[in-house]
């Protein structure tokens, strides 16, 4: 596919790039289920998951603004964990438990349509996560959930965090494709808007339960090339 | 596997890193077979392959020495092609044929043991190419030959070329592993010596026919942790 399409009016898509947290994996349900046994005390797992995730976007701002150099999301997750522990009365939590909690982000469960959807899409397209998660985290999530990627792209190769343009552009450049032959797939309109701004094509996947039942985007809030309710539906729409 | 082994006397290997050209794929046989039909004239395919490959190591020296910034191997392959065309009386070769020739490096055939050997090794280890080939080239070789990688590491993420230490160290760092929990697998002793110098463990694969029958290393020329005649033998030796 790399060789074809350059002369066409609408260039052929050669690669699909995937957001991961929320789009492919259920971070909230996984953390809510798996954190309490590690903590070993009565705790509202969903409140804990939500509080931890609420620190996610602010945690990346220092790198995005250039106030600090790139650090892996693993480190930001750990810093964010330290920030929320006092709110849950867990300032005395043992170091080993903190390490185990942080590794939960490497073992999140996929939404049920993802493994099969990706395998169908891979027949026709090169597939890569373009996530803010670091390479090692992406590798572990893929091994746990049976994702087969062609490459791991995203924040770590760009040394910056989405929605900064460098992340989308570095992914296209790594595969030797112009942005218009790459399609970003995500459940979040802000991610798709930023990708479109860089010239990528976009596909929205509805994940209405990401932050709890009925809380997610059921439809894209920005113009997109394709909107689908699952990866299997996306595969049908893209004729794979 | 990431979590285990840190306290052991001999740390558990968590990832295998692979040299690709010569170790996993038969660049010589592939180029010798596929270049003449593109060129469309009588030509010694093996001589052409050997001449092109002879420019490979010198071609990377500018980047290694810092005389130029990192450029992808795709570009170096093209520069090297321009260098040898006059020697074969091909200065008038059309641009389209030059482009097609350069893409042959994306479609090299694997040695017969590789696809099955990698699939066995992947049960136990994270697997990544740590090659001087760029990401897009590695993706295309993997899709052609059925390699399943956990990540594409190597020169492009390090922005330098093997055997510079940065390439081996960047690969370990990308997976969040200390060098001693990574093993470099290659058919070339210079590559293994450089990896060992960085603290990685090493496995030698004999590819006696790489540059023509009986020309390759049948045994490692440096101390290694494991020496094997194929990836399937390596999988047996590593108890997968």
């Amino acid at each position: 596919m790399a060789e074809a399409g350059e002369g066409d009016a609408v260039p052929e898509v050669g690669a699909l790039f995937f957001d991961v947290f929320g789009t492919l994996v259920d971070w909230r349900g996984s953390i809510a289920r798996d954190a309490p046994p590690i903590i070993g005390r009565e705790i509202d797992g969903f409140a804990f998951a939500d509080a931890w995730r609420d620190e996610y976007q602010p945690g990346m701002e220092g790198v995005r603004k250039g106030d600090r150099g790139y650090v892996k999301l693993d480190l930001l997750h750990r810093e964010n964990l330290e920030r929320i522990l006092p709110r849950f009365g867990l300032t005395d939590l043992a170091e080993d438990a903190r390490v185990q909690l942080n590794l939960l982000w490497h073992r999140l469960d996929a939404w049920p349509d993802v493994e099969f959807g990706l395998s169908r899409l891979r027949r026709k397209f090169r597939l890569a996560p373009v996530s803010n998660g670091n390479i090692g985290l992406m590798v572990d999530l893929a091994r746990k959930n049976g994702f087969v990627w062609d490459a791991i792209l995203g924040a770590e190769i760009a040394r910056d965090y989405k929605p900064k343009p460098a992340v989308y552009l570095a992914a296209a450049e790594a595969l030797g494709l112009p942005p218009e032959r790459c399609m970003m797939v995500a459940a979040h309109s802000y991610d798709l808007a930023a990708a479109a701004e860089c010239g990528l094509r976009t596909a929205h996947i509805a994940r209405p339960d990401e932050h709890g039942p009925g809380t997610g985007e059921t439809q894209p809030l920005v113009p997109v090339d394709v909107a689908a309710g699952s990866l299997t539906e996306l595969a049908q729409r893209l004729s794979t």
Side-chain angles (χ1 to χ4, degrees), chain A residues 55 85 106 119 130 158 192 198 240:
Chain A
E55 300 293 334
L85 287 177
H106 291 231
S119 75
V130 173
L192 298 175
C198 294
T240 63

Side-chain angles (χ1 to χ4, degrees), chain A residues 163-169 178-180 192-201:
Chain A
K164 292 282 288 290
V167 184
Y168 308 98
L169 295 173
E180 63 269 25
L192 298 175
E197 192 71 28
C198 294
L200 283 77
R201 293 202 264 177

Side-chain angles (χ1 to χ4, degrees), chain A residues 80-240:
Chain A
N80 296 343
L81 176 64
E82 301 297 328
R83 203 163 283 124
I84 65 161
L85 287 177
R87 292 181 225 159
F88 291 85
L90 296 171
T91 48
D92 61 339
L93 194 70
E95 170 62 19
D96 179 59
R98 295 173 196 227
V99 170
Q100 283 186 60
L101 284 173
N102 219 47
L103 281 171
L104 289 182
W105 295 94
H106 291 231
R107 298 203 292 269
L108 305 171
D109 290 341
W111 300 112
D113 55 296
V114 174
E115 183 177 358
F116 180 66
L118 288 177
S119 75
R120 275 198 59 183
L121 289 162
R122 191 161 181 262
R123 294 184 207 157
K124 187 167 174 183
F125 304 105
R126 281 166 265 181
L127 306 184
V130 173
S131 163
N132 282 331
N134 44 289
I135 293 172
L137 192 165
M138 288 295 120
V139 166
D140 289 347
L141 284 182
R143 290 184 74 95
K144 151 138 195 186
N145 291 295
F147 304 159
V148 176
W149 296 121
D150 288 292
I152 308 285
L153 306 174
E156 189 164 350
I157 66 156
R159 318 290 292 177
D160 205 343
Y161 282 109
K162 292 191 296 180
K164 292 282 288 290
V167 184
Y168 308 98
L169 295 173
E173 211 278 324
L175 295 188
L177 292 172
E180 63 269 25
R181 293 196 51 212
C182 303
M183 178 177 275
M184 185 74 205
V185 182
H188 313 116
S189 292
Y190 84 93
D191 199 357
L192 298 175
E197 192 71 28
C198 294
L200 283 77
R201 293 202 264 177
T202 54
H204 185 270
I205 306 294
R207 295 297 185 198
D209 303 331
E210 179 184 351
H211 293 266
T215 59
E217 295 178 10
T218 54
Q219 296 289 332
L221 310 172
V222 295
V224 298
D225 294 290
V226 189
S230 67
L231 290 199
T232 41
E233 189 189 335
L234 179 66
Q236 286 162 1
R237 303 286 298 280
L238 297 177
S239 307
T240 63

Side-chain angles (χ1 to χ4, degrees), chain A residues 18-113:
Chain A
F18 292 83
D19 177 59
V20 173
F21 301 116
T23 301
L24 302 187
V25 300
D26 174 19
W27 57 267
R28 187 174 188 262
S30 303
I31 298 283
R33 179 193 62 210
D34 295 335
I38 293 171
I39 294 169
R41 303 179 210 174
E42 281 289 329
I43 191 171
D44 178 343
F46 286 107
F48 188 80
D50 288 337
W52 201 353
R53 184 69 176 178
D54 282 349
E55 300 293 334
Y56 174 71
Q57 292 294 349
M60 293 181 285
E61 275 301 297
V63 173
R64 288 180 183 135
K65 289 180 177 164
D67 296 337
R68 67 194 294 191
Y70 172 79
V71 294
K72 293 183 189 186
L73 189 64
D74 276 341
L75 176 61
L76 298 181
H77 275 151
R78 178 60 192 262
E79 293 175 357
N80 296 343
L81 176 64
E82 301 297 328
R83 203 163 283 124
I84 65 161
L85 287 177
R87 292 181 225 159
F88 291 85
L90 296 171
T91 48
D92 61 339
L93 194 70
E95 170 62 19
D96 179 59
R98 295 173 196 227
V99 170
Q100 283 186 60
L101 284 173
N102 219 47
L103 281 171
L104 289 182
W105 295 94
H106 291 231
R107 298 203 292 269
L108 305 171
D109 290 341
W111 300 112
D113 55 296

